[in-house]
């Protein structure tokens, strides 16, 4: 496919950083898919992209997502596994901060807010 850079390393020095030629149409299709995937809210690929952008820059981070998508496709086709979208991981602290921010915004807008934990429904056995 030609989306992965070379790994010609000797004594910790990288001698080749260029990507192989590969299939142009496949590479372009995967690049478009990666562009769409990083813009999809709460997707695993978006979280991978956001983690890599500060360190690599936009273009290289998209290329890393292309490589990740290619690995997922290979795993699906080769091993016959089903793809399961994991989405972004929210910690309890992040959820609590989001609740606090949203309540503050509602109070600033003039609403009264009462927060109650969800009622747990028990199914009849």
């Amino acid at each position: 496919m030609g989306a992965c850079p070379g790994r010609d390393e000797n004594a910790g020095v990288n001698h080749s950083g260029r990507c192989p030629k590969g299939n142009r149409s496949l590479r372009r299709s995967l690049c478009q898919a990666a562009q769409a995937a990083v813009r999809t809210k709460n997707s695993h690929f978006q979280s991978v992209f956001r983690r890599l952008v500060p360190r690599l820059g936009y273009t290289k981070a998209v290329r890393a997502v292309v490589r990740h998508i290619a690995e997922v496709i290979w795993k699906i086709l080769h091993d016959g596994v089903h793809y399961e979208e994991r989405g972004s991981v929210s910690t309890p602290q992040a959820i609590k901060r989001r609740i606090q921010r949203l309540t503050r915004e509602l109070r600033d807008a003039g609403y009264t807010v009462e927060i109650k934990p969800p009622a747990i429904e028990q199914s009849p056995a």
Side-chain angles (χ1 to χ4, degrees):
M1 167 187 82
C4 305
R7 291 189 179 188
D8 182 18
E9 238 178 72
N10 189 6
V13 179
N14 191 1
H15 295 290
S16 173
R18 74 171 190 85
C19 293
K21 289 190 176 180
N23 188 337
R24 284 184 186 173
S25 59
L26 179 62
R27 185 174 58 241
R28 287 176 184 160
S29 298
L30 284 177
C31 283
Q32 288 179 357
Q35 291 279 352
V38 300
R39 286 179 169 77
T40 303
K41 291 183 179 181
N42 296 327
S43 73
H44 175 68
F45 298 116
Q46 185 186 42
S47 61
V48 169
F49 174 76
R50 286 190 177 188
R51 188 179 69 233
L52 294 175
V53 163
R55 192 174 63 225
L56 299 178
Y58 185 85
T59 312
K60 288 183 181 179
V62 168
R63 281 296 187 124
V65 172
V66 167
R67 181 176 183 276
H68 192 71
I69 290 174
E71 288 175 354
V72 168
I73 291 172
W74 184 86
K75 188 75 171 170
I76 290 170
L77 294 176
H78 187 263
D79 294 343
V81 297
H82 295 284
Y83 177 70
E84 180 181 322
E85 176 62 43
R86 299 213 175 134
S88 61
V89 178
S90 292
T91 62
Q93 296 159 342
I95 293 170
K96 186 177 178 182
R97 280 193 310 263
R98 184 165 187 237
I99 290 171
Q100 290 173 347
R101 181 179 52 84
L102 291 173
T103 10
R104 186 177 59 243
E105 288 177 6
L106 283 171
R107 286 188 179 135
D108 290 345
Y111 292 94
T112 55
V113 179
E114 181 182 335
I115 299 176
K116 291 190 256 181
I120 300 172
E121 295 181 23
Q122 295 180 356
S123 62

